[in-house]
Amino acid sequence: MDLILCHTTADFDAFGAAVGLSRLYAGSRIVLAGGAHPAVRDFLALYRDEFALIERRSVRAEKIQTIHVVDTQLRDRLGPTAAWLDLPGVTVRVYDHHPQVQSDIRATERTIADIGATTTLMVEQLQAAGVSLNSAEATAMALGIHVDTGSLTFDHATQRDALALAWLMGQGANLGAIGTYVEPGLSPQLQDLLSQGLEQLQSRGVQGHTIAWVMLKTAGYVPGLSSVASRLMDLTDSDGLLLGNCYQRAASDVLTVIGRSRIPGTDLNQLFAPLGGGGHGKAAAVTLHDVDADQTLGKLIEALAGQVPVAATARELMSSPVRTVLPQTTIAQAQRILLRYGHSGLSVADGLGELVGVISRRDLDIAFHHGFSHAPVKGYMTRQVRTIAPETTLPEIEDLMVTYDIGRLPVIRDGQLLGIVTRTDVLRQRSHLQRRSSKQSPRQAQVELVAPSIARLTQPLQDLLAIAAAKAESRGWNLYLVGGGVRDLLLAQADPEQQAEPVMLNDLDLVVDG
């Protein structure tokens, strides 16, 4: 007998992967080790007969030959079925998409990939084997990918997941059913808990982000609380959330903590792993026994807050000095300046350098359309300008831009215009944070290769570069060494005969960005 084990409270990804394996290994049977998520349970109420399911109590242990474990690498997530892993002569295969998890399952084979859903692994194997699916099977597997990748919107979603979904659609996945079960309605019990959560939710600001938490106490285990956590995140616009659920099971006090985060640089899996939990960087959970629930949740809140990276400020993001025009500058002159420098708007300052308005490309286009190219910009500029301070954080800047549809925010100190932050600056910083929180990018690898070679320069050149770097930093600029000097440094670094000698460059080419 070949068995496929789903973890306790099986979600759609675990079940979808199990369905795929049941087609790859003819005659294998799926065992739900400890029940299913409410949405999966509702799905099976209609489609159960389409799948090779078997009750745990119907399994004869002495007949087991092979066990496939999907969507987990931890024994305690398999409930009572974990005992079957120790049977003599049983082949154990593990399939998962959490490569950072330290597995305690002794497996004959492991198939682990850093992708959005375990189901994607099964799709790829089905494709390679030339196996086709019926509509119910394709629907179940598509649900697995949709739910675990947020319909391809979560950070850990990959191109492989998208290609797998496309194939499943070609196999007849029912889009209507997917829409129904991806965002299922909450049961009356979960609706009550959602209301409690909204009433009792607490929050605090950390580096411009909002971290919220709540402790819900119930008489027993309540499946589906992950849906409540997601709803709380959306309804309160929190950036990070820890939902604790305290209940009793077999005379033991149990605490389950469900985490969700949209904050770049945070890793909930890393937060919960030392306690035996896990998941993804942005969605994870942990279950603990006989602990002080409030104290434990408090420590996790502090640990999550400690993960939040120091937010970039306007001083770091802004371009400076700012290109400005006088109020009497004509529309035609302002338009030529925009075209020359590729700006989308200009700050308008008086003779004393104080900001009096902002004029955008749209404002200039309107003036041109009505034949007023000769008119001064003061007649078309926006006078009520929203400004920010040098200490304003990136999340606050994003909120202002989104709320008021502003493309540029002047940075003001004591009435003086110090710099300007644009949409481009914000998008560049967000892209940088995403690269930093994911795997090392090629650009980062290049920096590590080049940076050590700066120390190979003669001391006078190193001193000169240090002065130039300090000056650039004080102005909010990025400074780059480019051209032939970089080539000569790399050649000297690669030449064994020159490795002990300082490198002298005849000229230095420096470029600033910002």
Side-chain angles (χ1 to χ4, degrees), residues 188-484:
Q189 183 183 23
L190 292 179
Q191 290 178 34
D192 290 342
L193 290 172
L194 175 62
S195 297
Q196 290 180 37
L198 289 169
E199 292 174 1
Q200 301 172 17
L201 194 74
Q202 301 180 68
S203 64
R204 59 184 275 198
V206 181
Q207 297 296 334
H209 299 283
T210 301
I211 292 180
W213 64 93
V214 66
M215 178 69 75
L216 300 176
K217 297 184 178 180
T218 58
Y221 170 71
V222 178
L225 278 176
S226 58
S227 298
V228 174
S230 298
R231 297 288 178 93
L232 283 173
M233 281 274 286
D234 294 336
L235 291 172
T236 61
D237 202 24
S238 301
D239 300 305
L241 172 77
L242 295 182
L243 184 153
N245 175 218
C246 191
Y247 58 95
Q248 277 205 329
R249 177 189 287 168
S252 174
D253 292 326
V254 182
L255 170 66
T256 294
V257 181
I258 299 168
R260 296 288 184 269
S261 177
R262 290 191 282 253
I263 305 172
T266 56
D267 189 333
L268 292 172
N269 179 71
Q270 188 181 69
L271 182 70
F272 292 151
L275 301 176
H280 300 288
K282 305 305 180 189
V286 62
T287 298
L288 303 167
H289 296 269
D290 297 320
V291 297
D292 186 310
D294 293 325
Q295 186 180 66
T296 301
L297 183 61
K299 289 180 178 178
L300 288 172
I301 294 163
E302 293 303 319
L304 177 58
Q307 286 188 345
V308 179
V310 177
T313 62
R315 188 190 305 279
E316 301 167 61
L317 299 173
M318 69 183 186
S319 299
S320 177
V322 182
R323 187 166 283 106
T324 62
V325 295
L326 294 169
Q328 58 268 30
T329 302
T330 67
I331 295 294
Q333 290 171 327
Q335 184 81 322
R336 285 196 294 272
I337 293 172
L338 286 187
L339 291 174
R340 179 179 180 184
Y341 295 105
H343 294 338
S344 60
L346 290 169
S347 298
V348 184
D350 61 19
L352 299 176
E354 292 191 4
L355 184 72
V356 295
V358 168
I359 190 159
S360 69
R361 178 176 284 127
R362 283 181 291 182
D363 299 327
L364 295 174
D365 289 342
I366 291 172
F368 258 103
H369 178 72
H370 290 93
F372 293 111
S373 61
H374 61 283
V377 296
K378 65 182 180 182
Y380 289 86
M381 69 184 185
T382 301
R383 297 178 181 273
Q384 300 299 320
V385 181
R386 292 193 177 274
T387 63
I388 55 178
E391 298 78 23
T392 306
T393 63
L394 175 61
E396 293 169 327
I397 292 170
E398 286 192 65
D399 285 343
L400 284 171
M401 287 185 170
V402 172
T403 302
Y404 299 103
D405 190 21
I406 301 172
R408 59 203 61 81
L409 289 167
V411 183
I412 303 294
R413 169 70 77 200
D414 298 328
Q416 293 299 306
L417 180 61
L418 302 182
I420 193 162
V421 178
T422 67
R423 289 189 182 100
T424 301
D425 299 319
V426 171
L427 292 175
R428 183 187 297 118
Q429 182 66 15
R430 288 185 66 177
S431 176
H432 169 70
L433 291 173
Q434 288 170 357
R435 289 198 307 268
R436 194 170 67 181
S437 64
S438 62
K439 294 182 177 178
Q440 183 188 52
S441 68
R443 180 180 178 187
Q444 289 172 310
Q446 183 182 16
V447 170
E448 290 190 359
L449 171 64
V450 176
S453 65
I454 300 299
R456 296 290 312 283
L457 293 172
T458 58
Q459 195 59 48
L461 288 180
Q462 291 188 48
D463 295 341
L464 179 62
L465 285 175
I467 294 171
K471 294 289 186 182
E473 183 178 8
S474 68
R475 289 166 171 78
W477 298 345
N478 296 314
L479 182 67
Y480 302 92
L481 175 63
V482 300

